[in-house]
Amino acid sequence: MKNTLYAIILVFIFSVVLPKYCFSQTSDPDTSNILLSSTQYDYKNPQFDKSGNSVSYFISDCILSYEIWSSQAESKIGVRFMKYNSLSPEIQLADQVSLNINPCVAYFTQQSTTIENNPGAVAFQSNRNGNWDIYFSSYNQSSWSIPEPVADNISDEITPAIVSYSVNGNLNYLISYKRGEDIYLRNTFNGVWMNEINITENDSLECFSPELTKEPFYGLPRLYLAYQRETGPSIFSIAFNTLQVNSSGDIAVGQRNIINQPGSQNNIRFSNGVINSILNYDYDTLGNKNFYSAILSDNNYSIYNQSENFGGDNYGGTGSSHLDITKDFYSYGYTLYSWIRKVNDSTQVVIASYPMPELSSKFYVDNSQSETFVNTSTKLVFNQNKYRIKILWEKTINGRTALIESFRDDGLSSITGLSNLTPENFSLSQNYPNPFNPKTIISYQLLKFNFVTLKVYDILGNEVATLVNQKQSAGSYNAEFDGSNFA
């Protein structure tokens, strides 16, 4: 039945005017400013949660975590709530004389939660007990918990990754990390830590740098674990598994999938997706680095060179993807990517959007020998019509590492329940995603106040769903069709 429904939807919305592709950027593309800087501390490695739940039109903040270095022997983990134009006071999750590094963030941003200060957690790597351990601290909408170790083991655990998930309405966390030559998983379930799982026990290669993400908003109900494998001296490949947490908290691990390319792959980072999860990485061929993305779909993938139109070395990329029913993109959505580019004697941060990658910005960081790190936030809604995406990177200022920010704005102009612009014509847009499983969005625009009926029929002409049946004012709307109850 699902295939026939897909065909009928194509019939009644196929004749549409394709949207124009132009980015509604209200910020100056060459504007940047100092976000965090100090004469006493280095601020490094800014991190956000960018896993799934990308269709959220009301969340106005995100959790920002970063490293605070006072010396080569002492660093702390800072956390703040970031809004479109402000930062909350800093909370430090490590107060001992030790190294605390590699923070990672999970944040609950379902539309059923409040618009800010939602539950979340941070995991990080610390040597406070004489070896490397992974510590975990959660936020309960009131305060941060005292950091606690995730694994009770005398061996080193390093490079954590974290993701949030929900089962039966309960908020939980899944953490991955490296120990020895293997990748491990451990999750909380209803407030209790479950047993540890060795994901790569049967992999003969050394595995490292795990990354986690939950399913995209309209994708299959899967979580993804990606990690790297050392296939030769300084030669690395990428593997990924699907994960599912069942109603008892146990984790079902899918088959191992290898992203096959002849060159070396490195520096993996997830960005949230709309239909598919997006895994970003560096791809090195004969010494030339390019920024690539692998679009994951269950056990399959497709790869794209995001930096093919940019000369020099391009690497360290990440992105933030959104399905926003905007006045420019309607139901197509877009991704804002950022990465590091070294060309001639300069190090740059590149910010580019998809579609229309030519609408890019380039920020000079320093000479070509300098190092930096770049990351992008999720969507930060700041009124009924606008949202902002922040881009942060590192830059040396007066001998200390500071965090620099820029941003791009766009409009939320076609979301049911929000004020939006009056369209020029009546239109019924292509459903998105298409094909879909199990949900799809149908967007439409009304020139004037009218009674609207939107129904779905099967191939025999039988009505199977009524999505809209009411009077509506002029404006832009979307309706969701959920086919999960059909065979």
Side-chain angles (χ1 to χ4, degrees):
M1 177 67 74
K2 195 167 293 181
N3 288 336
T4 59
L5 291 173
Y6 153 70
I8 294 303
I9 290 174
L10 275 178
V11 168
F12 72 71
I13 69 175
F14 195 75
S15 57
V16 299
V17 178
L18 291 177
K20 60 182 179 179
Y21 289 103
C22 58
F23 193 83
S24 295
Q25 181 181 332
T26 59
S27 60
D28 184 338
D30 297 319
T31 297
S32 64
N33 57 75
I34 298 173
L35 178 68
L36 292 175
S37 180
S38 170
T39 58
Q40 296 178 290
Y41 304 110
D42 294 302
Y43 297 100
K44 300 181 180 181
N45 196 13
Q47 295 292 330
F48 305 96
D49 174 15
K50 293 182 293 183
S51 59
N53 288 337
S54 61
V55 185
S56 182
Y57 304 117
F58 305 101
I59 302 300
S60 66
D61 70 354
C62 64
I63 292 177
L64 165 66
S65 185
Y66 49 90
E67 300 168 7
I68 310 167
W69 289 75
S70 54
S71 71
Q72 293 299 310
E74 182 179 357
S75 62
K76 301 176 182 179
I77 302 298
V79 291
R80 298 174 186 253
F81 285 95
M82 172 181 276
K83 299 186 72 172
Y84 77 98
N85 67 345
S86 64
L87 284 174
S88 69
E90 181 180 87
I91 301 295
Q92 295 185 357
L93 297 182
D95 57 3
Q96 300 187 36
V97 179
S98 56
L99 288 178
N100 300 275
I101 59 175
N102 292 334
C104 53
V105 179
Y107 191 43
F108 284 97
T109 56
Q110 293 92 336
Q111 290 185 214
S112 59
T113 61
T114 57
I115 64 171
E116 60 185 40
N117 291 13
N118 292 297
V122 170
F124 58 94
Q125 178 181 332
S126 176
N127 69 353
R128 65 178 64 184
N129 291 325
N131 66 299
W132 289 115
D133 294 307
I134 304 303
Y135 280 77
F136 168 85
S137 177
S138 61
Y139 179 77
N140 62 3
Q141 295 188 278
S142 175
S143 61
W144 288 91
S145 66
I146 297 174
E148 59 177 307
V150 172
D152 184 13
N153 194 291
I154 61 173
S155 300
D156 289 335
E157 290 90 27
I158 62 173
T159 58
I162 189 172
V163 71
S164 61
Y165 70 95
S166 178
V167 176
N168 300 326
N170 295 309
L171 307 183
N172 305 287
Y173 299 98
L174 176 64
I175 295 179
S176 182
Y177 43 89
K178 171 182 166 66
R179 180 194 298 139
E181 295 188 348
D182 288 313
I183 302 299
Y184 289 80
L185 281 175
R186 199 173 187 200
N187 64 309
T188 63
F189 188 76
N190 298 341
V192 177
W193 285 101
M194 304 294 285
N195 292 331
E196 187 181 66
I197 302 173
N198 186 340
I199 294 294
T200 59
E201 184 176 11
N202 297 320
D203 195 324
S204 61
L205 300 178
E206 179 174 358
C207 302
F208 60 99
S209 298
E211 289 288 334
L212 287 166
T213 191
K214 51 181 170 276
E215 70 274 12
F217 193 85
Y218 287 108
L220 296 170
R222 303 279 193 274
L223 290 83
Y224 287 96
L225 166 68
Y227 52 92
Q228 294 184 246
R229 307 161 74 235
E230 186 170 8
T231 58
S234 300
I235 304 296
F236 311 115
S237 66
I238 298 172
F240 68 91
N241 300 76
T242 60
L243 308 173
Q244 286 184 288
V245 185
N246 62 31
S247 58
S248 62
D250 295 326
I251 301 173
V253 181
Q255 69 183 47
R256 182 173 69 234
N257 305 279
I258 307 298
I259 299 177
N260 288 306
Q261 287 178 284
S264 184
Q265 305 154 323
N266 203 4
N267 193 29
I268 61 174
R269 284 195 277 172
F270 273 112
S271 58
N272 54 3
V274 175
I275 306 174
N276 304 109
S277 292
I278 302 173
L279 180 64
N280 306 298
Y281 61 95
D282 303 340
Y283 183 53
D284 193 344
T285 55
L286 300 177
N288 185 42
K289 295 180 181 179
N290 286 280
F291 167 43
Y292 268 69
S293 293
I295 314 301
L296 308 186
S297 177
D298 205 14
N299 293 310
N300 301 307
Y301 65 90
S302 54
I303 57 177
Y304 299 90
N305 183 355
Q306 304 289 5
S307 60
E308 63 180 344
N309 296 318
F310 296 82
D313 282 330
N314 297 271
Y315 60 94
T318 186
S320 186
S321 305
H322 306 277
L323 171 60
D324 294 306
I325 315 302
T326 68
K327 63 185 176 64
D328 291 330
F329 288 99
Y330 298 100
S331 60
Y332 285 79
Y334 76 95
T335 298
L336 190 68
Y337 286 110
S338 59
W339 68 86
I340 301 163
R341 178 178 184 236
K342 290 195 175 183
V343 56
N344 298 326
D345 62 348
S346 89
T347 298
Q348 304 171 350
V349 166
V350 178
I351 303 170
S353 55
Y354 177 85
M356 303 299 282
E358 63 269 20
L359 296 179
S360 63
S361 305
K362 302 179 186 68
F363 296 86
Y364 176 74
V365 177
D366 212 326
N367 63 51
S368 61
Q369 303 305 312
S370 68
E371 298 298 328
T372 188
F373 177 89
V374 63
N375 213 339
T376 62
S377 75
T378 50
K379 175 171 57 244
L380 305 171
V381 176
F382 59 95
N383 61 40
Q384 288 187 323
N385 296 310
K386 295 290 184 183
Y387 66 89
R388 175 169 292 174
I389 297 175
K390 294 288 191 80
I391 304 95
L392 305 185
W393 63 90
E394 300 173 358
K395 183 175 182 177
T396 301
I397 299 178
N398 297 325
R400 287 288 191 178
T401 304
L403 295 184
I404 309 299
E405 73 166 358
S406 185
F407 63 88
R408 285 195 175 178
D409 292 345
D410 206 347
L412 299 170
S413 58
S414 306
I415 300 164
T416 303
L418 299 183
S419 61
N420 48 57
L421 304 178
T422 302
E424 298 177 356
N425 296 291
F426 167 81
S427 66
L428 187 63
S429 299
Q430 175 72 51
N431 64 301
Y432 186 91
N434 184 4
F436 62 93
N437 181 18
K439 298 177 182 180
T440 190
I441 292 288
I442 302 170
S443 304
Y444 58 96
Q445 295 185 313
L446 303 178
L447 180 61
K448 59 184 179 180
F449 178 85
N450 214 327
F451 191 92
V452 177
T453 299
L454 181 60
K455 298 182 177 182
V456 178
Y457 295 84
D458 64 21
I459 199 167
L460 300 177
N462 301 311
E463 180 184 331
V464 297
T466 298
L467 306 182
V468 182
N469 191 41
Q470 65 185 54
K471 293 180 179 179
Q472 291 182 324
S473 301
S476 301
Y477 300 86
N478 59 51
E480 181 181 81
F481 173 67
D482 187 345
S484 58
N485 293 326
F486 297 94

